[in-house]
């Protein structure tokens, strides 16, 4: 690569979008720190939305690269490095911080080692998954998008703890569906109890060999133009009406449906090993 092309490559549109993804991830970590240091738990809610914005940027950076004709190996490597922070580190820290801050008030006391080990394992598996993806697709044409993945992609895995943290705060302020105070309390208790174990499950799914679809490719996949448009309208409509509920439903469905569809092969692999 000559010296004149380097600045142009660094300032390529998709790289700027990817750096926006990274900035949102770091910003979320700063907000999590402020939630602890300033005794302001509501900042966890804002951190969750910063990570949602990062996921949106991550979903469009590849499309920006192909539309502008600036797809490159450097962009792919930069994307993985940004994902390692935004979707490999921040979601686990966000989830255990929620448990640590709000758990005692609901008489939920997780073992400190679990709250330490769970995000560490999650981060390690996210980085391993990103490294494996780069190795397996080293020679791929960056102008051709991926329609599926082997193992759960890190943004999809991050969607589960992020959406549940948002649901923890948002369930009390739903617009269409109104929940009783008792239901709100039960849901919040189950979220706090489940989060550390869901983090560990997401870690295993990332390094598994279970096939997962590319979400944006699935949204646009259909024989005619009506079905993709209907998917987009439904997705945007639900997000507009009940954003936290919709994100939790989409995140859990994306994580668990492929797992349930491939349980037989998973058990077969475990038996053979």
């Amino acid at each position: 690569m000559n010296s004149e092309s380097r600045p142009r490559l660094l300032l390529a549109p998709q790289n700027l979008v990817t750096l926006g993804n990274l900035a949102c991830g770091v910003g979320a970590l700063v907000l999590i720190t402020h939630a602890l240091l300033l005794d302001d738990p509501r900042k966890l809610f804002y951190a969750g939305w910063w990570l949602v914005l990062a996921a949106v940027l991550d979903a469009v950076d590849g499309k920006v690269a192909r539309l502008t004709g600036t797809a490159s190996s450097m962009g792919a490597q930069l994307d993985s490095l940004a994902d390692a922070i935004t979707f490999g580190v921040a979601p686990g820290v966000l989830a255990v911080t929620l448990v640590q801050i709000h758990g005692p008030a609901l008489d939920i006391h997780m073992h400190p080692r679990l709250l330490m080990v769970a995000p560490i394992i999650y981060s390690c598996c996210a980085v391993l998954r990103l490294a494996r993806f780069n190795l397996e697709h080293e020679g791929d044409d960056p102008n051709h998008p991926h329609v599926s993945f082997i193992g759960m992609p890190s943004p999809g895995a991050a969607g589960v703890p992020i959406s549940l943290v948002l649901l923890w705060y948002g369930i009390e302020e739903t617009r269409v569906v109104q929940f009783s105070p008792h239901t709100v309390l039960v849901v919040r208790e189950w979220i706090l109890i489940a989060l550390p174990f869901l983090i560990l499950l997401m870690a295993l799914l990332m390094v598994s060999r279970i096939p997962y679809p590319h979400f944006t490719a699935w949204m646009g996949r259909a024989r005619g133009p009506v079905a993709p448009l209907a998917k987009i309208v439904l997705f945007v409509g639900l997000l507009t009406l009940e954003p936290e509920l919709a994100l939790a439903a989409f995140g859990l469905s994306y994580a668990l449906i492929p797992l349930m569809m491939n349980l037989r092969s998973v058990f077969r692999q475990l038996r053979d090993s």
Side-chain angles (χ1 to χ4, degrees), residues 181-193:
H182 175 71
T183 302
V184 171
L185 180 62
V186 170
V187 171
R188 284 179 164 177
E189 287 177 343
W190 277 106
I191 288 174
L192 294 179
I193 293 170

Side-chain angles (χ1 to χ4, degrees), residues 96 100 111-122 196:
V96 299
Q100 289 174 324
H111 197 289
R113 290 182 185 174
L114 175 63
L115 298 181
M116 176 67 73
V117 170
I120 291 175
I121 293 177
Y122 176 89

Side-chain angles (χ1 to χ4, degrees), residues 64-140:
V64 171
R66 290 185 288 274
L67 286 173
T68 58
T70 54
S72 66
S73 298
M74 177 184 172
Q77 297 298 325
L78 184 63
D79 183 69
S80 292
L81 292 171
D83 285 357
I85 301 297
T86 303
F87 306 119
V89 176
V93 177
L94 176 68
V96 299
T97 303
L98 181 80
V99 176
Q100 289 174 324
I101 289 178
H102 292 290
L106 298 178
D107 200 26
I108 297 173
H109 303 278
M110 294 286 185
H111 197 289
R113 290 182 185 174
L114 175 63
L115 298 181
M116 176 67 73
V117 170
I120 291 175
I121 293 177
Y122 176 89
S123 298
C124 291
C125 288
V127 172
L128 287 171
R129 192 248 178 271
L130 291 165
R132 186 183 70 183
F133 178 85
N134 288 345
L135 285 175
E136 292 178 346
H137 299 275
E138 191 172 8
D140 289 2

Side-chain angles (χ1 to χ4, degrees), residues 110-184:
M110 294 286 185
H111 197 289
R113 290 182 185 174
L114 175 63
L115 298 181
M116 176 67 73
V117 170
I120 291 175
I121 293 177
Y122 176 89
S123 298
C124 291
C125 288
V127 172
L128 287 171
R129 192 248 178 271
L130 291 165
R132 186 183 70 183
F133 178 85
N134 288 345
L135 285 175
E136 292 178 346
H137 299 275
E138 191 172 8
D140 289 2
D141 185 351
N143 289 298
H144 287 82
H146 299 95
V147 297
S148 62
F149 301 100
I150 299 300
M152 193 177 188
S154 56
V160 172
I162 293 169
S163 63
L164 290 179
V165 169
L166 292 175
L167 181 61
W168 199 94
Y169 288 99
I171 192 172
E172 202 172 28
E173 303 170 358
T174 51
R175 300 170 180 83
V176 178
V177 183
Q178 298 295 324
F179 297 100
S180 67
H182 175 71
T183 302
V184 171

